Protein backbone atom coordinates (compact mmCIF):
# COMPACT_ATOMS: atom_id res chain seq x y z
CA UNK A 1 0.00 0.00 0.00
CA UNK A 2 1.36 3.43 -0.93
CA UNK A 3 1.39 5.69 2.10
CA UNK A 4 3.60 8.56 0.95
CA UNK A 5 5.07 9.84 -2.32
CA UNK A 6 7.75 12.53 -2.47
CA UNK A 7 7.55 14.25 -5.86
CA UNK A 8 10.68 16.34 -6.41
CA UNK A 9 10.98 19.01 -9.08
CA UNK A 10 13.36 21.93 -9.35
CA UNK A 11 11.12 23.96 -11.66
CA UNK A 12 8.05 25.25 -9.85
CA UNK A 13 6.75 27.17 -12.89
CA UNK A 14 7.02 24.14 -15.18
CA UNK A 15 5.16 22.01 -12.63
CA UNK A 16 2.35 24.58 -12.41
CA UNK A 17 2.03 24.54 -16.22
CA UNK A 18 2.00 20.75 -16.25
CA UNK A 19 -0.71 20.61 -13.58
CA UNK A 20 -2.75 23.24 -15.41
CA UNK A 21 -2.63 21.26 -18.67
CA UNK A 22 -2.61 17.73 -17.25
CA UNK A 23 -5.39 15.23 -17.89
CA UNK A 24 -7.65 14.57 -14.91
CA UNK A 25 -5.86 11.46 -13.63
CA UNK A 26 -2.44 13.18 -13.62
CA UNK A 27 -3.86 16.21 -11.86
CA UNK A 28 -5.56 13.90 -9.36
CA UNK A 29 -2.19 12.24 -8.66
CA UNK A 30 -0.57 15.54 -7.74
CA UNK A 31 -3.57 16.55 -5.65
CA UNK A 32 -3.59 13.23 -3.76
CA UNK A 33 -2.94 13.92 -0.04
CA UNK A 34 -0.27 11.20 -0.01
CA UNK A 35 1.81 13.19 -2.52
CA UNK A 36 4.19 15.80 -1.10
CA UNK A 37 5.62 18.09 -3.78
CA UNK A 38 9.14 19.29 -3.01
CA UNK A 39 10.66 22.16 -4.99
CA UNK A 40 14.31 21.22 -4.70
CA UNK A 41 17.25 19.94 -6.67
CA UNK A 42 16.84 16.16 -7.05
CA UNK A 43 20.46 15.42 -6.14
CA UNK A 44 20.27 17.56 -3.03
CA UNK A 45 16.95 16.00 -2.02
CA UNK A 46 18.27 12.44 -2.32
CA UNK A 47 21.55 13.31 -0.57
CA UNK A 48 19.65 14.75 2.41
CA UNK A 49 17.23 11.79 2.70
CA UNK A 50 17.52 9.57 5.76
CA UNK A 51 19.13 6.20 5.20
CA UNK A 52 16.59 3.61 4.08
CA UNK A 53 13.74 6.11 3.94
CA UNK A 54 12.39 5.12 0.50
CA UNK A 55 11.22 1.88 -1.11
CA UNK A 56 11.29 3.24 -4.66
CA UNK A 57 13.10 6.10 -6.38
CA UNK A 58 12.08 6.92 -9.95
CA UNK A 59 14.51 9.13 -11.85
CA UNK A 60 12.83 10.72 -14.88
CA UNK A 61 15.52 13.08 -16.10
CA UNK A 62 16.61 13.98 -19.64
CA UNK A 63 19.30 11.83 -21.21
CA UNK A 64 22.84 12.53 -19.95
CA UNK A 65 23.90 14.84 -22.77
CA UNK A 66 24.62 18.02 -20.77
CA UNK A 67 26.38 18.73 -17.51
CA UNK A 68 22.99 19.52 -15.95
CA UNK A 69 21.36 16.23 -16.88
CA UNK A 70 24.50 14.11 -16.55
CA UNK A 71 24.56 14.73 -12.78
CA UNK A 72 21.63 12.31 -12.44
CA UNK A 73 23.60 9.47 -14.04
CA UNK A 74 26.78 9.50 -11.94
CA UNK A 75 27.98 6.87 -9.51
CA UNK A 76 27.83 9.48 -6.72
CA UNK A 77 24.15 10.15 -7.38
CA UNK A 78 23.33 6.44 -7.56
CA UNK A 79 25.24 5.84 -4.31
CA UNK A 80 23.11 8.54 -2.63
CA UNK A 81 19.99 6.83 -4.02
CA UNK A 82 21.22 3.45 -2.75
CA UNK A 83 21.69 4.93 0.74
CA UNK A 84 18.20 6.51 0.66
CA UNK A 85 16.57 3.21 -0.36
CA UNK A 86 15.63 0.45 2.03
CA UNK A 87 17.42 -2.90 1.73
CA UNK A 88 14.81 -4.17 -0.75
CA UNK A 89 14.34 -0.74 -2.34
CA UNK A 90 14.45 -0.23 -6.09
CA UNK A 91 15.72 2.54 -8.32
CA UNK A 92 14.04 2.99 -11.72
CA UNK A 93 15.51 5.15 -14.46
CA UNK A 94 15.62 5.36 -18.24
CA UNK A 95 17.73 6.38 -21.18
CA UNK A 96 16.90 6.85 -24.86
CA UNK A 97 18.58 4.49 -27.28
CA UNK A 98 18.06 3.66 -30.90
CA UNK A 99 16.57 0.47 -32.14
CA UNK A 100 19.74 0.27 -34.27
CA UNK A 101 22.02 -1.24 -31.62
CA UNK A 102 24.91 -1.83 -34.02
CA UNK A 103 26.21 1.74 -33.65
CA UNK A 104 28.48 1.81 -30.55
CA UNK A 105 27.95 5.58 -30.09
CA UNK A 106 24.25 4.96 -29.60
CA UNK A 107 24.45 1.99 -27.22
CA UNK A 108 27.49 3.15 -25.18
CA UNK A 109 25.55 5.44 -22.77
CA UNK A 110 23.15 2.58 -21.95
CA UNK A 111 26.07 0.19 -21.38
CA UNK A 112 27.76 2.70 -19.06
CA UNK A 113 24.50 3.26 -17.18
CA UNK A 114 24.04 -0.49 -16.76
CA UNK A 115 27.60 -0.96 -15.47
CA UNK A 116 27.27 1.97 -13.05
CA UNK A 117 23.99 0.66 -11.65
CA UNK A 118 25.38 -2.86 -11.36
CA UNK A 119 28.45 -1.57 -9.51
CA UNK A 120 26.29 0.48 -7.13
CA UNK A 121 23.35 -1.85 -6.51
CA UNK A 122 24.46 -5.34 -7.51
CA UNK A 123 21.25 -6.33 -9.35
CA UNK A 124 19.87 -4.74 -12.52
CA UNK A 125 16.95 -5.65 -14.79
CA UNK A 126 16.48 -3.96 -18.15
CA UNK A 127 13.38 -3.44 -20.25
CA UNK A 128 14.71 -2.88 -23.79
CA UNK A 129 13.31 -0.59 -26.43
CA UNK A 130 13.83 2.85 -27.90
CA UNK A 131 13.55 4.09 -24.32
CA UNK A 132 15.47 1.56 -22.27
CA UNK A 133 14.30 1.24 -18.66
CA UNK A 134 16.60 0.12 -15.86
CA UNK A 135 15.55 -1.27 -12.47
CA UNK A 136 18.28 -1.62 -9.83
CA UNK A 137 18.32 -2.98 -6.28
CA UNK A 138 20.69 -4.32 -3.67
CA UNK A 139 18.23 -7.20 -3.21
CA UNK A 140 18.33 -10.06 -5.67
CA UNK A 141 14.62 -10.66 -5.11
CA UNK A 142 13.45 -7.09 -5.73
CA UNK A 143 14.24 -6.74 -9.43
CA UNK A 144 13.95 -9.32 -12.17
CA UNK A 145 13.54 -9.46 -15.91
CA UNK A 146 11.87 -12.87 -15.70
CA UNK A 147 8.47 -12.11 -17.20
CA UNK A 148 6.95 -15.24 -15.63
CA UNK A 149 8.00 -14.10 -12.15
CA UNK A 150 6.71 -10.59 -12.80
CA UNK A 151 3.35 -11.95 -13.97
CA UNK A 152 3.17 -14.17 -10.86
CA UNK A 153 3.82 -11.14 -8.61
CA UNK A 154 1.19 -9.17 -10.53
CA UNK A 155 -1.44 -11.89 -10.01
CA UNK A 156 -0.44 -12.35 -6.35
CA UNK A 157 -1.09 -8.70 -5.63
CA UNK A 158 -4.34 -8.76 -7.62
CA UNK A 159 -3.10 -5.65 -9.38
CA UNK A 160 -5.30 -4.02 -11.93
CA UNK A 161 -4.44 -1.05 -14.04
CA UNK A 162 -6.71 -0.24 -16.93
CA UNK A 163 -5.03 -1.18 -20.19
CA UNK A 164 -2.30 -3.31 -18.60
CA UNK A 165 -2.27 -7.06 -18.23
CA UNK A 166 0.20 -9.56 -16.83
CA UNK A 167 1.01 -10.61 -20.41
CA UNK A 168 2.65 -7.25 -21.13
CA UNK A 169 5.64 -8.28 -18.98
CA UNK A 170 6.62 -10.73 -21.71
CA UNK A 171 6.55 -7.88 -24.25
CA UNK A 172 8.69 -5.62 -22.04
CA UNK A 173 11.26 -8.19 -20.93
CA UNK A 174 11.84 -10.27 -24.04
CA UNK A 175 15.12 -12.16 -23.99
Amino acid sequence: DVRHIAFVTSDEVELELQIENAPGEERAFLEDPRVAVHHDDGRRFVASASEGSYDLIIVEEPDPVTAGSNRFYTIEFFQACRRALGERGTLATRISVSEHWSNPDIIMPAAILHDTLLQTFGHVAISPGAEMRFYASASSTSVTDDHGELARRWRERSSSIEGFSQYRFEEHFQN
Side-chain angles (χ1 to χ4, degrees):
D1 225 9
V2 176
R3 292 184 302 253
H4 177 77
I5 297 172
F7 183 85
V8 182
T9 180
S10 60
D11 192 336
E12 193 170 346
V13 174
E14 181 183 344
L15 178 62
E16 288 175 14
L17 286 171
Q18 287 177 343
I19 293 171
E20 190 176 296
N21 296 303
E25 62 217 19
E26 288 180 31
R27 189 176 302 120
F29 164 78
L30 290 168
E31 294 170 349
D32 188 306
R34 297 172 296 175
V35 176
V37 177
H38 301 272
H39 300 286
D40 197 356
D41 174 73
R43 281 182 61 106
R44 182 175 39 240
F45 186 86
V46 167
S48 66
S50 301
E51 188 171 336
S53 56
Y54 292 97
D55 295 321
L56 174 66
I57 295 175
I58 301 171
V59 180
E60 284 287 336
E61 289 292 328
D63 288 339
V65 294
T66 67
S69 60
N70 188 55
R71 2 184 266 117
F72 293 97
Y73 294 89
T74 64
I75 196 162
E76 295 82 9
F77 175 66
F78 292 136
Q79 286 170 340
C81 290
R82 169 69 186 94
R83 189 186 60 71
L85 286 165
E87 197 54 41
R88 292 179 41 91
T90 299
L91 175 111
T93 191
R94 37 102 14 239
I95 192 170
S96 300
V97 296
S98 172
E99 308 237 343
H100 306 286
W101 293 55
S102 60
N103 183 338
D105 293 334
I106 292 173
I107 197 63
M108 188 59 71
I112 292 170
L113 176 57
H114 174 268
D115 290 349
T116 304
L117 290 171
L118 191 60
Q119 181 181 348
T120 307
F121 290 91
H123 304 280
V124 179
I126 302 171
S127 176
E131 184 170 89
M132 190 174 281
R133 297 210 168 261
F134 294 80
Y135 307 93
S137 179
S139 168
S140 63
T141 60
S142 292
V143 297
T144 182
D145 57 5
D146 179 330
H147 56 82
E149 172 62 15
L150 292 168
R152 185 193 66 74
R153 290 178 188 178
W154 183 263
R155 287 188 308 271
E156 184 178 278
R157 289 173 177 82
S158 300
S159 298
S160 62
I161 295 176
E162 190 174 322
F164 189 89
S165 95
Q166 65 183 6
Y167 304 106
R168 300 237 5 236
F169 290 116
E170 187 169 357
E171 292 173 29
H172 290 287
F173 291 99
Q174 292 176 0
N175 293 329

